[in-house]
Amino acid sequence: MIHVGVLGATGAVGQRFVQLLANHPWFTLSTLTASDRSAGKTYGSVVNWRLDSPFPESVRDIVVSPTTVDAVKDCDIVFSALPADIATTLESEIADAGVGVFSNASSHRMAADVPLMIAEVNPEHAALIDLQKKNHNRDGFIVTNPNCSTIMLATALAPLMKFPFTTINVATMQAISGAGFEGVPAFGIYDNVIPYIGSEEEKMSREANKILGTFDGTQITGAPFTVSASCNRVPVIDGHTLNIWIDVPATPDEVIEAFRTWQPPFSGLPTQPEKTILYLPDENRPQPRLDRNRGNGMTVSVGRVRDGIRFVAMGHNTIRGAAGASVLNAELLHTKKYF
């Protein structure tokens, strides 16, 4: 039995973690943490459940713990939905205490010995854990998943890495759930597009290079391309859409064939979708409302491949782009005996 906890269990991503872990076939959800005002109360009495799936009754009576190292010391692994300012120190302390941390926070993503993983795209980067344990003299570890929009970008690019390219331009249309339940005031987003998301463009520019870079056993060499991103918040609840331009020396038919034939290096994990990447031939797809829940929210849909090369990618930002990606990373590392 693998005991797991969720740090920051009442927020938007925290609730997604709870949804995905409540009845997980491998992991037993035993610890939930939140702010001091929620600690000591049952999860069912403090959480304002806002997901479009039923509240999992199996977690209703779990008593919420304060978000501390002591609260999770009996867990095998924890999933972190903490804000970056809190995660920076606390996640390191938890790893030092011997617990594996699967983090959705940005705090440690670019650390040289921390895997920044999309399970199906760069599973070989998991070997950084051995270096991290040695470097920090710790029994635990930290594994991060990327920024939500970067996950869609890097996943869509994975089948195209066989073609040489150096420049990526991407414009995002990002759902309001990416800012958290209280992140975007209704009066600000109704009838509107907000052409700025704090630090999002910088994250996309840095993270994709690390994810798609090569690991030689001691370090990652970043992928040989540059990313220029423009990020926008749009009045969509869930589902980030990306318009992508790349200087690939290939025809649209060759790119479509790459999307259709690409296969991840493993299969059969509980959270893994049947199709990690799904090409949609209709000229008006993908669309968030119609396609975000494909593969239980874990499929990245692509379409509108045109000369240039230009195409559209879309995925569910709080599932594939956050909690689901982290849970899938944990499933993969369980099969590799990291915990």
Side-chain angles (χ1 to χ4, degrees):
M1 183 178 295
I2 301 166
H3 289 281
V4 308
V6 174
L7 308 173
T10 57
V13 174
Q15 289 186 28
R16 282 293 182 195
F17 274 126
V18 171
Q19 174 202 6
L20 294 169
L21 294 166
N23 297 297
H24 195 279
W26 296 358
F27 304 147
T28 299
L29 183 57
S30 56
T31 302
L32 302 174
T33 84
S35 63
D36 290 343
R37 66 177 178 271
S38 297
K41 303 173 184 176
T42 63
Y43 186 65
S45 69
V46 298
V47 68
N48 182 8
W49 192 257
R50 304 195 194 191
L51 303 188
D52 55 0
S53 59
F55 179 76
E57 292 297 324
S58 59
V59 302
R60 180 177 297 278
D61 294 329
I62 294 178
V63 176
V64 175
S65 301
T67 304
T68 64
V69 176
D70 285 344
V72 298
K73 64 183 179 181
D74 292 330
C75 293
D76 298 299
I77 59 173
V78 295
F79 296 92
S80 174
L82 296 175
D85 57 339
I86 298 173
T88 299
T89 300
L90 185 59
E91 289 179 355
S92 294
E93 292 175 347
I94 292 172
D96 289 341
V99 178
V101 179
F102 291 87
S103 176
N104 189 67
S106 63
S107 307
H108 302 283
R109 287 175 185 159
M110 299 309 297
D113 58 4
V114 173
L116 179 61
M117 284 183 58
I118 302 172
E120 304 101 314
V121 174
N122 62 338
E124 70 278 5
H125 290 195
L128 282 172
I129 292 174
D130 299 321
L131 295 177
Q132 181 190 147
K133 288 185 173 184
K134 180 180 179 181
N135 290 345
H136 297 273
N137 191 29
R138 62 171 50 144
D139 292 327
F141 57 83
I142 299 172
V143 172
T144 61
N145 55 271
N147 168 266
C148 48
S149 52
T150 307
I151 287 181
M152 312 312 171
L153 175 64
T155 302
L157 291 176
L160 309 183
M161 293 298 290
K162 63 183 180 180
F163 304 115
F165 59 89
T166 59
T167 303
I168 302 164
N169 294 291
V170 55
T172 72
M173 292 160 280
Q174 296 183 219
I176 57 176
S177 59
F181 291 134
E182 310 298 336
V184 182
F187 193 77
I189 197 63
Y190 285 168
D191 189 33
N192 204 14
V193 173
I194 301 172
Y196 173 73
I197 304 173
S199 73
E200 196 83 359
E201 293 162 357
E202 294 79 7
K203 291 175 184 176
M204 293 192 74
S205 297
R206 296 191 307 265
E207 293 177 11
N209 292 85
K210 182 176 180 180
I211 297 161
L212 294 169
T214 56
F215 179 57
D216 65 5
T218 59
Q219 65 181 358
I220 292 173
T221 300
F225 56 68
T226 60
V227 178
S228 178
S230 294
C231 297
N232 306 273
R233 189 75 70 191
V234 298
V236 170
I237 295 174
D238 292 311
H240 287 356
T241 302
L242 284 65
N243 284 327
I244 301 168
W245 296 258
I246 53 176
D247 60 337
V248 168
T251 66
D253 285 344
E254 288 172 328
V255 170
I256 291 169
E257 182 66 10
F259 285 143
R260 283 178 163 160
T261 58
W262 182 83
Q263 295 291 333
F266 59 86
S267 62
L269 300 185
T271 304
Q272 185 178 4
E274 181 179 352
K275 285 279 190 181
T276 298
I277 299 173
L278 177 65
Y279 171 73
L280 299 173
D282 292 352
E283 63 183 8
N284 64 346
R285 303 290 277 276
Q287 297 179 24
R289 191 169 64 186
L290 301 179
D291 300 311
R292 62 192 170 208
N293 289 317
R294 291 180 180 273
N296 294 320
M298 288 292 286
T299 292
V300 174
S301 299
V302 296
R304 295 213 68 214
V305 180
R306 291 154 286 155
D307 286 323
I309 289 290
R310 301 166 289 164
F311 65 94
V312 177
M314 192 283 306
H316 198 303
N317 53 293
T318 65
I319 303 178
R320 168 50 82 173
S326 195
V327 172
L328 186 56
N329 283 344
E331 292 169 355
L332 175 63
L333 295 197
H334 175 52
T335 67
K336 292 179 177 291
K337 310 299 183 184
Y338 276 101
F339 57 89

